Amino acid sequence: MAAAAEGAPLTGIGLALGLAAVPAGWSAITATAEGAAAGLAKGFGHKGTGYLCVRTGGAQVAPVVTDVQVLSDRSPHPSGYTRAPEFPEPRAAVSRKKRIYVRLQPREAAATAVFDVQLSAKSSALPLYMKIGEIGGFALWCKKGPLSEPLSLQQLSLRAPASPQGAPAAPTSPKRAPGALHDAGSIYGLSAMDGVPFALHPRFESRLGPSSTALLTDLTVKSLADIEREYHYAFVVERTAAARLPPSVC
């Protein structure tokens, strides 16, 4: 079973001496990744069954778990880590062959966090998970990921932020005039030629000067009848060939 909700970083990892000892706000991992019972009976230092438990609540204000280590009881306490809590508090005379240490950091100072931990058989491999060590006869795995900045309600809203009281309102885009081809106040109404100055090539400036009307004197305007008379074609050859008759001279 998954130990953490998708998208919520862990804010605590601990050990409970039984299901009844799991405190409020914590969840016990009762099954391995293969579906077997996940009781930590071996090497847990007591006759009952212990369980690995995690916490995800209060992730916005509570420190998040950024790393996990499993060390023997003879290993020195790693710097920057705290020992995972046990529920209820362990007695000093009880020995633990393996200990779990976690590194907690404020959410705003952490780039990555632990989002899930699972137990599996020692010979198994869990894709996308990193093996931390072995405890209670199982392999301990964790899944890390980057932390995303929580969005505020104002960022999620499509409305523009309200201006402070007394501050001048932001200028609005000019309204679209009736019959206008496009709205110049909107980027969606701009064409590729907007803002490009119009200029003629120097080659044509002399021909289109004050005496540009002289260019029109060489033009001949023809009517439709003139065009039909000039380009009239009777199709005599085509009609003769179609009728299969010898051509006649008229």
Side-chain angles (χ1 to χ4, degrees):
M1 58 176 287
E6 185 68 19
L10 300 185
T11 56
I13 298 177
L15 296 169
L17 302 185
L19 294 178
V22 178
W26 292 71
S27 301
I29 300 179
T30 58
T32 66
E34 298 85 5
L40 303 176
K42 298 179 180 179
F44 198 63
H46 66 97
K47 296 181 180 180
T49 301
Y51 292 95
L52 188 69
C53 52
V54 297
R55 180 180 60 183
T56 58
Q60 299 298 331
V61 294
V64 295
V65 179
T66 59
D67 195 28
V68 187
Q69 290 189 18
V70 177
L71 302 176
S72 66
D73 55 355
R74 297 182 180 181
S75 300
H77 191 117
S79 176
Y81 289 74
T82 59
R83 184 174 174 180
E86 297 182 11
F87 310 107
E89 289 298 326
R91 297 190 302 260
V94 177
S95 108
R96 300 283 188 269
K97 294 183 179 180
K98 293 291 182 70
R99 295 175 179 176
I100 298 179
Y101 294 90
V102 296
R103 182 170 62 189
L104 297 172
Q105 288 184 279
R107 184 185 179 93
E108 60 273 11
T112 61
V114 177
F115 284 78
D116 191 17
V117 292
Q118 289 200 33
L119 296 172
S120 74
K122 295 181 180 180
S123 58
S124 298
L126 301 186
L128 304 180
Y129 283 75
M130 179 174 60
K131 186 175 181 180
I132 302 301
E134 297 179 358
I135 184 171
F138 300 102
L140 177 61
W141 304 80
C142 80
K143 183 178 183 181
K144 294 183 179 181
L147 279 174
S148 59
E149 289 293 334
L151 296 177
S152 62
L153 295 179
Q154 186 175 4
Q155 291 174 308
L156 294 175
S157 175
L158 296 179
R159 298 180 180 178
S163 58
Q165 187 175 2
T172 57
S173 301
K175 292 186 177 181
R176 187 173 186 175
L181 294 179
H182 65 274
D183 184 5
S186 172
I187 61 174
Y188 300 102
L190 297 178
S191 68
M193 296 302 297
D194 286 344
V196 179
F198 176 78
L200 288 174
H201 194 277
R203 176 182 176 184
F204 302 101
E205 288 181 354
S206 59
R207 299 180 61 184
L208 296 179
S211 59
S212 59
T213 55
L215 298 175
L216 302 178
T217 57
D218 298 334
L219 299 180
T220 303
V221 180
K222 295 182 179 181
S223 65
L224 180 60
D226 295 335
I227 296 174
E228 289 179 349
R229 283 195 300 270
E230 183 175 351
Y231 297 100
H232 177 70
Y233 184 66
F235 296 97
V236 175
V237 176
E238 288 79 3
R239 292 174 181 172
T240 303
R244 298 178 183 270
L245 296 176
S248 60
V249 180
C250 300

